[in-house]
Amino acid sequence: MNLDYPPEAEEFRAEVRAILAEELPGVWRGLGALTDPKEADAFVARWRDVLARRRLLGVTWPEEYGARGLTKLHQVVLVEELAKAGVPVGGHNDTFGVKMVGNTLLLWGSDEQKSHFLPRILSGEDRWCQGYSEPGSGSDLASLSTRAVRDGDEWVLNGQKIWTSQAQRANWIFVLARTDPAAPKHRGISFLLVPMDQPGVEVRPIRSATGESEFNEVFFDDARTASANVVGPVHGGWKVAQTLLGFERGDEAATNPILFRAEFDRLVELARDTGRIGDPVVADRLAQLYCEVEIMRFLGYRVLTGYLAGNAPGPESSVSKLYWSEYHQRATDLALELEGMRLQVLSGRLPLRAFRTDDPGAPPETGTWLGSYLNARAGTIYAGTSEVQRNILAESVLGLPREPRPATS
């Protein structure tokens, strides 16, 4: 396996490093080192402006939309360097705006949709969230019941979405809604772009185990959107939705191992700080976790190989998701055991992010370890549960028969 990057990628890497040197403060230890959540939040907003100004958002998008028209390999190099520097790859809503709906519009959107929305995503004028899961439709997403009915030049939406990350910051939401109730469940679904700044949309925060409210419920009560805001064919939104889900991973194959390795190094320091580094049981568990982080890196390379070749995500994405989410629970289990009675008095702050690890440079405090432990509980649920990932691997890789479906009356 040749893991070297071609010269043009290394030239771009040098450019990114030069921008980091120019734009970051003189002493920078990573976003995680900012112990005040409000200060960290303000930095994310300022850094998002830097990325937009230096044209480091949506770098693979065509230049006509204000981007740079670079390759997927350039995108991978960018996220590698940003992760190593301990800075975010965008603002709070850019995972949904740039990575998900923006890339989906490039493939499925009309010329008018691309010309209107893509520049506004890059500028930050439009901030997006994802309207997929519902109280009764999570892993079985195609069973969703939110309805959209055509009314002249508009669609009228009624229903509920749940686990909607960053909805409290968004002014647009992309929604899967049932537009043909008589069609089989994977058909009759449309992909709609819906403005949130209207009377028919209500956002209610959900308090998680950490005490934070990263997730939300979103209610639609005769909410409206223009008929031109359907992406792809009417009633054909399932294929559009599957395209978008593929963009959830991709370059994460490059960043996940960096973030998990940084957390593992903090875990080793925690073992030293608590005097347990020489404990043979602790040493054995650390050695196992080290091996798993390295395996994660090579699993990431495998996902990345297909991503750079332009292939649709295959079962290797399910292997990677299953692997890192269950690894993280084992790693944070050990962290809490090492903290021991010190957890009776929480110090420091909760993690700055609700997904995966805390940011590089996070302080060696009980608050960030406990929060990471609680966040890791959700890692085997969001973005596809472990049970769903195992079913995908059983059916698509091992060729085992599908699970029996419950009988319907």
Coordinates of all heavy atoms in Angstrom, one line a residue, residues 20-73:
L20 N -2.7 28.5 8.2 CA -2.8 28.2 9.6 C -1.8 29.1 10.4 O -2.2 29.7 11.5 CB -2.6 26.8 9.9 CG -3.7 25.8 9.5 CD1 -3.3 24.4 9.5 CD2 -5.0 26.0 10.3
A21 N -0.6 29.2 9.9 CA 0.4 29.9 10.6 C 0.0 31.4 10.6 O 0.3 32.1 11.6 CB 1.8 29.7 9.9
E22 N -0.6 31.9 9.6 CA -1.0 33.3 9.5 C -2.2 33.6 10.3 O -2.3 34.7 10.9 CB -1.3 33.7 8.0 CG -0.1 33.7 7.1 CD -0.5 33.9 5.7 OE1 -1.6 34.5 5.5 OE2 0.3 33.6 4.7
E23 N -3.1 32.7 10.4 CA -4.4 33.1 11.0 C -4.6 32.7 12.4 O -5.5 33.2 13.1 CB -5.6 32.4 10.2 CG -5.6 32.8 8.7 CD -6.2 34.2 8.5 OE1 -6.6 34.9 9.5 OE2 -6.2 34.7 7.4
L24 N -3.8 31.7 12.9 CA -4.0 31.2 14.3 C -3.2 32.1 15.2 O -2.2 32.7 14.9 CB -3.6 29.8 14.4 CG -4.5 28.8 13.8 CD1 -3.9 27.4 13.9 CD2 -5.9 28.8 14.5
P25 N -3.6 32.2 16.5 CA -2.8 33.0 17.5 C -1.4 32.4 17.6 O -1.2 31.2 17.3 CB -3.7 32.8 18.8 CG -5.0 32.4 18.3 CD -4.9 31.7 17.0
G26 N -0.5 33.2 18.2 CA 0.9 32.8 18.3 C 1.0 31.5 19.1 O 1.8 30.6 18.7
V27 N 0.3 31.4 20.2 CA 0.4 30.2 21.0 C -1.0 29.5 20.9 O -2.0 30.0 21.4 CB 0.6 30.5 22.5 CG1 0.6 29.2 23.3 CG2 2.0 31.2 22.7
W28 N -1.0 28.4 20.2 CA -2.3 27.7 19.9 C -2.1 26.2 20.2 O -1.3 25.6 19.6 CB -2.7 27.9 18.4 CG -4.0 27.2 18.1 CD1 -4.1 26.0 17.3 CD2 -5.3 27.5 18.5 NE1 -5.4 25.7 17.2 CE2 -6.1 26.5 17.9 CE3 -5.8 28.5 19.3 CZ2 -7.5 26.6 18.1 CZ3 -7.2 28.6 19.5 CH2 -8.0 27.6 18.9
R29 N -2.9 25.8 21.1 CA -2.9 24.3 21.6 C -4.1 23.5 21.1 O -4.2 22.4 21.5 CB -2.7 24.3 23.1 CG -1.3 24.8 23.6 CD -1.3 24.8 25.1 NE -2.3 25.7 25.6 CZ -2.8 25.6 26.9 NH1 -2.4 24.6 27.7 NH2 -3.6 26.5 27.3
G30 N -4.9 24.1 20.3 CA -6.1 23.4 19.9 C -7.4 24.0 20.5 O -7.3 24.6 21.6
L31 N -8.5 23.9 19.7 CA -9.8 24.4 20.2 C -10.1 23.8 21.6 O -10.7 24.5 22.4 CB -10.9 24.0 19.2 CG -12.3 24.5 19.5 CD1 -12.3 26.0 19.6 CD2 -13.3 24.0 18.5
G32 N -9.8 22.6 21.8 CA -10.1 22.0 23.1 C -9.4 22.7 24.3 O -9.9 22.5 25.4
A33 N -8.4 23.4 24.1 CA -7.7 24.1 25.2 C -8.4 25.3 25.7 O -8.1 25.9 26.7 CB -6.2 24.5 24.7
L34 N -9.4 25.8 24.9 CA -10.2 26.9 25.3 C -11.2 26.4 26.4 O -12.2 25.7 26.0 CB -10.9 27.5 24.2 CG -10.0 28.1 23.0 CD1 -10.9 28.7 21.9 CD2 -9.1 29.1 23.6
T35 N -11.0 26.7 27.6 CA -11.8 26.1 28.7 C -13.2 26.8 28.9 O -14.1 26.2 29.5 CB -11.0 26.2 30.0 OG1 -10.7 27.5 30.3 CG2 -9.8 25.3 29.9
D36 N -13.4 28.0 28.4 CA -14.7 28.7 28.5 C -15.5 28.3 27.2 O -15.1 28.7 26.1 CB -14.4 30.2 28.6 CG -15.7 30.9 28.7 OD1 -16.8 30.3 28.6 OD2 -15.7 32.1 29.0
P37 N -16.6 27.6 27.4 CA -17.4 27.3 26.2 C -17.8 28.5 25.4 O -17.9 28.4 24.1 CB -18.6 26.6 26.8 CG -18.1 26.0 28.1 CD -17.2 27.1 28.6
K38 N -18.1 29.6 26.0 CA -18.5 30.8 25.2 C -17.3 31.3 24.4 O -17.5 31.7 23.2 CB -19.0 31.9 26.2 CG -20.3 31.6 26.8 CD -20.8 32.7 27.7 CE -22.2 32.4 28.3 NZ -22.6 33.5 29.2
E39 N -16.1 31.2 25.0 CA -14.9 31.6 24.2 C -14.7 30.7 23.0 O -14.4 31.1 21.9 CB -13.7 31.6 25.1 CG -12.4 32.1 24.5 CD -11.2 31.9 25.4 OE1 -11.4 31.5 26.5 OE2 -10.1 32.3 24.9
A40 N -14.9 29.4 23.3 CA -14.7 28.4 22.2 C -15.8 28.6 21.1 O -15.4 28.5 19.9 CB -14.8 27.0 22.8
D41 N -17.0 28.9 21.5 CA -18.1 29.2 20.5 C -17.7 30.4 19.7 O -17.9 30.4 18.5 CB -19.4 29.3 21.3 CG -20.6 29.1 20.4 OD1 -20.7 28.1 19.7 OD2 -21.4 30.0 20.3
A42 N -17.2 31.4 20.3 CA -16.9 32.6 19.6 C -15.7 32.3 18.6 O -15.7 32.9 17.5 CB -16.5 33.7 20.5
F43 N -14.8 31.5 19.0 CA -13.6 31.2 18.2 C -14.2 30.4 16.9 O -13.7 30.7 15.8 CB -12.6 30.3 18.9 CG -11.5 29.8 17.9 CD1 -10.4 30.7 17.7 CD2 -11.6 28.6 17.3 CE1 -9.4 30.2 16.8 CE2 -10.6 28.2 16.4 CZ -9.5 29.0 16.2
V44 N -15.1 29.5 17.1 CA -15.6 28.7 16.0 C -16.2 29.7 15.0 O -16.0 29.5 13.7 CB -16.7 27.7 16.5 CG1 -17.4 27.0 15.3 CG2 -16.0 26.6 17.3
A45 N -17.0 30.7 15.4 CA -17.6 31.6 14.5 C -16.6 32.4 13.8 O -16.7 32.6 12.6 CB -18.5 32.6 15.3
R46 N -15.5 32.9 14.5 CA -14.5 33.7 13.9 C -13.7 32.8 12.9 O -13.3 33.2 11.8 CB -13.5 34.2 14.9 CG -14.1 35.3 15.8 CD -13.0 36.1 16.5 NE -12.1 35.2 17.3 CZ -12.3 34.9 18.5 NH1 -13.4 35.3 19.2 NH2 -11.5 34.1 19.2
W47 N -13.4 31.5 13.2 CA -12.7 30.7 12.4 C -13.5 30.3 11.1 O -12.9 30.2 10.0 CB -12.3 29.4 13.1 CG -11.4 28.5 12.3 CD1 -11.7 27.3 11.8 CD2 -10.0 28.8 11.9 NE1 -10.6 26.8 11.1 CE2 -9.6 27.7 11.2 CE3 -9.2 29.8 12.2 CZ2 -8.3 27.6 10.7 CZ3 -7.9 29.8 11.6 CH2 -7.5 28.7 10.9
R48 N -14.8 30.2 11.3 CA -15.6 29.9 10.1 C -15.5 31.1 9.1 O -15.4 30.9 7.9 CB -17.0 29.8 10.6 CG -17.9 28.9 9.7 CD -18.6 29.7 8.6 NE -19.4 28.9 7.7 CZ -19.8 29.2 6.5 NH1 -19.5 30.4 6.0 NH2 -20.5 28.4 5.8
D49 N -15.4 32.3 9.6 CA -15.2 33.5 8.7 C -13.8 33.4 8.0 O -13.7 33.8 6.8 CB -15.3 34.8 9.5 CG -16.7 35.0 10.0 OD1 -17.7 34.5 9.4 OD2 -16.9 35.8 11.0
V50 N -12.8 32.9 8.7 CA -11.5 32.8 8.1 C -11.5 31.8 7.0 O -11.0 32.0 5.9 CB -10.5 32.3 9.2 CG1 -9.1 31.9 8.5 CG2 -10.2 33.5 10.2
L51 N -12.2 30.6 7.2 CA -12.3 29.6 6.2 C -13.0 30.1 5.0 O -12.6 29.8 3.8 CB -12.9 28.3 6.8 CG -12.2 27.6 7.9 CD1 -13.1 26.5 8.4 CD2 -10.9 27.0 7.4
A52 N -14.1 30.8 5.2 CA -14.8 31.4 4.1 C -14.0 32.4 3.3 O -13.9 32.4 2.1 CB -16.1 32.0 4.5
R53 N -13.3 33.3 4.0 CA -12.5 34.3 3.4 C -11.3 33.7 2.6 O -10.9 34.2 1.5 CB -12.0 35.3 4.5 CG -11.0 36.3 4.0 CD -10.8 37.4 5.0 NE -10.5 36.9 6.3 CZ -9.3 36.6 6.7 NH1 -8.3 36.6 5.9 NH2 -9.2 36.1 8.0
R54 N -10.7 32.6 3.2 CA -9.6 32.0 2.5 C -10.0 30.9 1.5 O -9.2 30.2 1.0 CB -8.6 31.4 3.5 CG -8.1 32.4 4.6 CD -7.3 33.6 4.0 NE -6.0 33.2 3.4 CZ -4.8 33.5 3.9 NH1 -4.8 34.1 5.1 NH2 -3.7 33.1 3.3
R55 N -11.3 30.8 1.3 CA -11.9 29.9 0.3 C -11.5 28.4 0.6 O -11.0 27.7 -0.2 CB -11.4 30.3 -1.1 CG -11.9 31.6 -1.6 CD -11.4 32.0 -2.9 NE -12.0 31.2 -4.0 CZ -11.4 31.0 -5.1 NH1 -10.2 31.5 -5.4 NH2 -11.9 30.2 -6.0
L56 N -11.6 28.1 1.9 CA -11.3 26.7 2.3 C -12.6 26.0 2.8 O -12.6 25.0 3.5 CB -10.3 26.7 3.5 CG -8.9 27.2 3.1 CD1 -8.0 27.2 4.4 CD2 -8.3 26.4 2.0
L57 N -13.8 26.5 2.3 CA -15.0 25.8 2.5 C -15.5 25.3 1.1 O -15.4 26.0 0.1 CB -16.1 26.7 3.1 CG -15.9 27.2 4.5 CD1 -16.9 28.2 4.9 CD2 -16.0 26.0 5.5
G58 N -15.9 24.0 1.1 CA -16.4 23.5 -0.2 C -15.4 23.6 -1.3 O -15.7 23.9 -2.4
V59 N -14.1 23.2 -1.0 CA -13.0 23.5 -1.9 C -13.2 22.7 -3.2 O -12.6 23.0 -4.3 CB -11.7 23.1 -1.3 CG1 -11.3 24.1 -0.2 CG2 -11.6 21.7 -0.8
T60 N -14.0 21.6 -3.2 CA -14.2 20.8 -4.4 C -15.3 21.3 -5.3 O -15.5 20.8 -6.4 CB -14.5 19.3 -4.1 OG1 -15.7 19.2 -3.3 CG2 -13.4 18.7 -3.2
W61 N -16.1 22.3 -4.8 CA -17.2 22.8 -5.6 C -16.7 23.6 -6.8 O -15.6 24.2 -6.7 CB -18.1 23.7 -4.8 CG -18.8 22.9 -3.7 CD1 -18.6 21.6 -3.3 CD2 -19.7 23.5 -2.7 NE1 -19.4 21.3 -2.2 CE2 -20.1 22.4 -1.9 CE3 -20.3 24.7 -2.6 CZ2 -21.1 22.6 -0.8 CZ3 -21.2 24.9 -1.6 CH2 -21.6 23.9 -0.7
P62 N -17.4 23.8 -7.9 CA -17.0 24.6 -9.0 C -16.7 26.0 -8.6 O -17.4 26.6 -7.7 CB -18.1 24.4 -10.0 CG -18.8 23.2 -9.6 CD -18.7 23.1 -8.1
E63 N -15.8 26.7 -9.3 CA -15.5 28.1 -9.0 C -16.6 29.0 -9.2 O -16.7 30.1 -8.6 CB -14.3 28.5 -9.9 CG -13.0 27.7 -9.5 CD -11.8 28.2 -10.4 OE1 -11.4 29.4 -10.2 OE2 -11.3 27.4 -11.2
E64 N -17.6 28.6 -10.1 CA -18.7 29.6 -10.4 C -19.6 29.8 -9.2 O -20.3 30.8 -9.2 CB -19.5 29.0 -11.6 CG -20.2 27.7 -11.2 CD -20.8 27.0 -12.4 OE1 -21.9 27.4 -12.8 OE2 -20.2 26.1 -13.0
Y65 N -19.4 29.0 -8.2 CA -20.2 29.2 -7.0 C -19.4 29.8 -5.8 O -19.9 29.8 -4.7 CB -20.8 27.8 -6.5 CG -21.6 27.1 -7.6 CD1 -21.3 25.9 -8.0 CD2 -22.7 27.8 -8.1 CE1 -22.0 25.2 -9.0 CE2 -23.5 27.1 -9.1 CZ -23.1 25.9 -9.6 OH -23.8 25.3 -10.6
G66 N -18.2 30.3 -6.2 CA -17.4 30.9 -5.2 C -16.4 30.0 -4.5 O -15.8 30.3 -3.5
A67 N -16.3 28.7 -5.0 CA -15.4 27.8 -4.5 C -14.1 27.7 -5.3 O -13.8 28.6 -6.0 CB -16.1 26.4 -4.3
R68 N -13.4 26.5 -5.2 CA -12.0 26.5 -5.9 C -11.9 25.4 -6.9 O -10.9 25.3 -7.6 CB -11.0 26.3 -4.8 CG -10.9 27.5 -3.8 CD -9.8 27.3 -2.8 NE -8.5 27.3 -3.4 CZ -7.4 27.4 -2.7 NH1 -7.4 27.5 -1.4 NH2 -6.2 27.3 -3.3
G69 N -12.9 24.5 -7.0 CA -12.8 23.5 -8.1 C -11.7 22.5 -7.9 O -11.2 22.0 -8.9
L70 N -11.3 22.2 -6.7 CA -10.2 21.2 -6.4 C -10.7 19.8 -6.4 O -11.9 19.6 -6.5 CB -9.5 21.6 -5.1 CG -8.9 23.0 -5.1 CD1 -8.2 23.3 -3.7 CD2 -7.8 23.2 -6.2
T71 N -9.8 18.9 -6.1 CA -10.2 17.4 -6.1 C -10.6 17.0 -4.7 O -10.3 17.7 -3.7 CB -9.0 16.6 -6.7 OG1 -8.0 16.6 -5.7 CG2 -8.6 17.1 -8.0
K72 N -11.1 15.8 -4.6 CA -11.4 15.2 -3.3 C -10.1 15.0 -2.5 O -10.2 15.0 -1.3 CB -12.1 13.8 -3.5 CG -13.6 14.0 -4.0 CD -14.2 12.6 -4.2 CE -15.7 12.8 -4.6 NZ -16.4 11.5 -4.7
L73 N -9.0 14.7 -3.2 CA -7.8 14.5 -2.5 C -7.4 15.8 -1.8 O -6.9 15.8 -0.7 CB -6.7 14.0 -3.4 CG -5.3 13.7 -2.7 CD1 -5.5 12.6 -1.7 CD2 -4.3 13.2 -3.8

